Amino acid sequence: MAGVQLGGEGELKLLGTWASPWVSRVKLALHLKGLSYEYIEQDLDNKTSLLLASNPVHKKVPVLIHNGKAICESRVILEYIDEAYSATGPSILPADPYERAIARFWAAYIDDKLVVPWVQAFKNNTEEERTEGMKQTLAAAETLEGALKECSKGKPFFGGDSMGYVDVVLGGLISWLQGTEELCGAKLFDDANTPLLLSWVERFVALDAAKVALPDVGELVEFAKMRLAQLAAAAAAATVPAKN
């Protein structure tokens, strides 16, 4: 449990796990807004009564608790922070309705078309499934390269001159994506296919909010390897026939 002292009004608590990219998104938004919050680390193998009461539907992190009221799901939380603290710090979502819709579209694309196949490449046991997952992930990255060019209009971020909604959504994943080469055997962003995204990552990780919110890549890779070993052991145990 740790208190992060920034600024803002109202009591904020964030339930999370250090390795969660979804939690990193919320941390990025809170730091972008300059808001103070209490961070409460969770053990998802031994869920607390606070987590279960705050998110009874999914029983997952992140959960943001604002003055006793719980808000769940990372993208929902980002929009809540932007609306609840509209007078504090920079805006996360664009003011223009069309640009706001476009930002929501690309945020959903990241979760549906980049994250889903990446998880397939990371978790699946067969080489065929891993290869197909990585193929789809790399295709999604190339599509996002075009989105960055379109949304940024030549400026440093998806949000223009500064970090915006799509930057936060993708930025929360950066540590995991940077570990992809060691975990999945493929480099997600490179000079040949995604030069704009490669430069975007370099700019993003240099931001103060990113330095505070994102987990260390090396620690994350070791954690991921440990979890994969645990999953493999559990799967092997499940296939052992019971003795008579």
Side-chain angles (χ1 to χ4, degrees), residues 165-208:
Y165 185 59
V166 181
D167 296 286
V168 173
V169 169
L170 184 58
L173 303 168
I174 281 181
S175 294
W176 280 101
L177 299 180
Q178 286 181 316
T180 295
E181 186 170 9
E182 186 168 351
L183 292 171
C184 303
K187 193 172 183 179
L188 195 53
F189 303 139
D190 59 34
D191 284 319
N193 298 305
T194 54
L196 296 179
L197 279 172
L198 190 62
S199 297
W200 172 86
V201 169
E202 293 174 355
R203 287 191 294 271
F204 194 93
V205 297
L207 297 172
D208 289 340

Side-chain angles (χ1 to χ4, degrees), residues 47-168:
K47 296 176 182 178
T48 64
S49 57
L50 178 60
L51 175 59
L52 296 174
S54 302
N55 190 357
V57 175
H58 297 301
K59 304 176 179 63
K60 294 179 179 180
V61 295
V63 177
L64 183 71
I65 303 174
H66 184 201
N67 291 330
K69 297 179 179 179
I71 305 96
C72 307
E73 297 296 302
S74 64
R75 280 165 33 211
V76 174
I77 294 172
L78 298 185
E79 296 202 28
Y80 177 84
I81 291 170
D82 202 34
E83 293 172 5
Y85 294 92
S86 59
T88 303
S91 296
I92 297 172
L93 277 155
D96 179 78
Y98 175 75
E99 291 182 0
R100 187 179 288 245
I102 294 299
R104 286 176 173 142
F105 172 87
W106 285 116
Y109 181 89
I110 289 166
D111 282 353
D112 295 340
K113 301 299 183 181
L114 183 76
V115 174
V116 170
W118 185 91
V119 171
Q120 177 181 332
F122 173 64
K123 283 188 174 182
N124 275 295
N125 294 322
T126 71
E127 185 64 31
E128 183 180 356
E129 288 174 323
R130 287 194 295 269
T131 300
E132 180 59 27
M134 186 49 59
K135 178 181 177 182
Q136 292 181 26
T137 303
L138 293 172
E142 291 187 26
T143 300
L144 285 172
E145 174 81 358
L148 176 56
K149 183 177 181 180
E150 174 189 330
C151 295
S152 68
K153 300 178 176 65
K155 295 180 179 180
F157 299 98
F158 284 92
D161 289 317
S162 58
M163 177 168 54
Y165 185 59
V166 181
D167 296 286
V168 173

